[in-house]
Amino acid sequence: MPRLGRPFLALSTTAVSLLALAGCGSSGGDASADGTPAAGGPASLAGQSVTVYSGQHEQTVKALTADFEKRTGISVKLRSGDEAELANQILQEGPASPADVFYAENPPALTVVEEKNLLAPVAPGTLKSVPAADSSPQGGWVGVSARTAAFVTHLGTAADSAPPASVRDLATPAWKGRLGIAPAETDFAPIVTRMIKTDGTDGAKKWLQGLKANAKVYNSNEDLSVAVNSGEVQGGVVDHYYWYRLRDEKTAAGTHSKLHYFTKGDPGALVDISGAGILKSSKHQAAAQAFLAYLDGKDAQQLIAGSQSYEYPLLSGVPGKAELTPLDTIGTVVPVADLGDGKAALQLLQDTGLLQ
């Protein structure tokens, strides 16, 4: 199965020991100071190129960039990789970075770059395309798609017949020996951040200690999903799309697991956002703005909705796949500002020994 998640550790190191690059870079030459693309629109930019550093799902991003090239005549140089490593590289490259756009799977990767003043303002019209809570409050990056945490269980087990209503339940002794977690995943860190917000640092630390006592640790959400499906553990916390991807790979006959959702409002019902921003140092500001506008336009959002990523589009009027549970009935939308740069979550994961 192609890897969808990204390990948290590299970004975590970045978030703790960021290079001192604040304030470097300039706004480039073919967009106005507020991020508005130059006059003429994408058609007038045909023949230009943009370099995209992408930590998002590679198959879907390849489809998006191919469609963008076809529609605009702007070529895309795509570099796909771990979002944490890409964020760290941008910080190291500073104003010399060849990247025009950074497209990340989780807000913290974008936040660490934005906090070093390396992102240009996103065009106001693009920001208005999606809910304000799904983008940077400073306007340095815009949300593109969403997903929610969920609980996957092995069919016929006690976890399946009586799934946890709250992610907090998983730290109780009743789950000892039945649970799997993947704490090195970037998808796990926002839940820890949310626990810090709702239960305080001490409460979140106690919760992580309970998980450590109860759970078998896996390197990735893919590994965890496979373990639950095989019955190695009864259940585990993953983002919803991992189960759908596993189901597609295993087919219905080989799928022995099921998704459950935590009670809406619970820290485990967190809706997480993927987003994109433009480097201040980009020499192709207008073309980069056109790419961001495309990502939040109807064509791209419909492509995302129909893709194997199984993510939820953010543009109003573009539904997700019919088989997906409506996000507004299960997920808790948390302003991305509340997720910050992930440093507090990293610290607790390290303090509790879930990350080294």
Side-chain angles (χ1 to χ4, degrees):
M1 181 188 301
R3 179 159 173 74
L4 289 181
R6 305 293 180 189
F8 182 54
L9 188 54
L11 176 59
S12 301
T13 302
T14 300
V16 171
S17 56
L18 293 172
L19 299 178
L21 296 174
C24 58
S26 62
S27 61
D30 55 3
S32 65
D34 67 354
T36 304
S44 68
L45 302 173
Q48 291 196 24
S49 67
V50 291
T51 296
V52 177
Y53 282 13
S54 173
Q56 244 301 41
H57 304 157
E58 186 172 358
Q59 302 96 322
T60 302
V61 177
K62 283 183 176 179
L64 289 167
T65 54
D67 187 56
F68 174 74
E69 289 178 325
K70 181 178 179 181
R71 293 178 183 278
T72 65
I74 301 169
S75 64
V76 178
K77 298 175 182 178
L78 180 62
R79 177 175 179 179
S80 294
D82 180 277
E83 66 174 7
E85 293 175 358
L86 293 173
N88 194 41
Q89 182 165 347
I90 289 170
L91 294 175
Q92 293 177 8
E93 292 169 342
S97 178
D100 297 295
V101 172
F102 181 32
Y103 188 7
E105 189 175 14
N106 295 278
L110 289 156
T111 298
V112 295
V113 175
E114 184 178 33
E115 287 180 344
K116 289 302 178 181
N117 199 29
L118 295 176
L119 295 182
V122 177
T126 303
L127 288 170
K128 291 178 181 177
S129 299
V130 300
D134 295 336
S135 301
S136 164
Q138 287 75 43
W141 59 269
V142 66
V144 177
S145 58
R147 59 199 182 278
T148 187
F151 194 71
V152 60
T153 62
H154 189 76
L155 294 176
T157 62
D160 187 43
S161 59
S166 171
V167 73
R168 296 182 181 94
D169 297 341
L170 300 176
T172 64
W175 284 94
K176 188 172 182 63
R178 303 165 58 201
L179 180 66
I181 57 173
E185 284 276 6
T186 51
D187 299 330
F188 189 77
I191 300 175
V192 179
T193 300
R194 188 61 183 154
M195 283 293 295
I196 294 170
K197 290 282 186 181
T198 58
D199 292 37
T201 300
D202 290 344
K205 185 175 183 178
K206 184 177 179 181
W207 174 71
L208 287 175
Q209 290 170 335
L211 293 187
K212 184 180 179 183
N214 290 344
K216 182 173 182 178
V217 173
Y218 294 88
N219 290 329
S220 69
N221 281 330
E222 288 91 348
D223 292 343
L224 174 54
S225 298
V226 169
V228 174
N229 196 66
S230 69
E232 185 174 306
V233 290
Q234 290 190 18
V237 180
V238 298
D239 274 351
H240 77 275
Y241 57 73
Y242 288 96
W243 181 82
Y244 286 97
R245 289 291 298 258
L246 180 140
R247 182 206 60 182
D248 286 354
E249 181 187 11
K250 299 290 187 181
T251 72
T255 302
H256 308 295
S257 55
K258 179 182 177 182
L259 274 186
H260 300 270
Y261 294 94
F262 298 108
T263 302
K264 190 169 182 178
D266 186 76
L270 175 72
V271 173
D272 204 4
I273 301 297
S274 299
I278 297 168
L279 277 294
K280 272 190 176 182
S281 54
S282 168
K283 302 301 188 291
H284 310 102
Q285 291 284 322
Q289 292 284 357
F291 182 70
L292 261 60
Y294 163 79
L295 289 178
D296 280 331
K298 187 174 182 179
D299 295 316
Q301 291 284 296
Q302 287 180 332
L303 194 156
I304 290 169
S307 74
Q308 288 184 313
S309 294
Y310 287 96
E311 288 192 288
Y312 293 88
L314 294 183
L315 184 66
S316 177
V318 178
K321 286 190 173 182
E323 61 200 292
L324 296 179
T325 304
L327 191 59
D328 60 0
T329 67
I330 53 173
T332 303
V333 178
V334 177
V336 294
D338 286 356
L339 298 180
D341 59 12
K343 286 190 286 187
L346 162 69
Q347 190 63 58
L348 282 188
L349 286 164
Q350 291 177 329
D351 289 347
T352 54
L354 286 170
L355 287 180
Q356 300 301 318

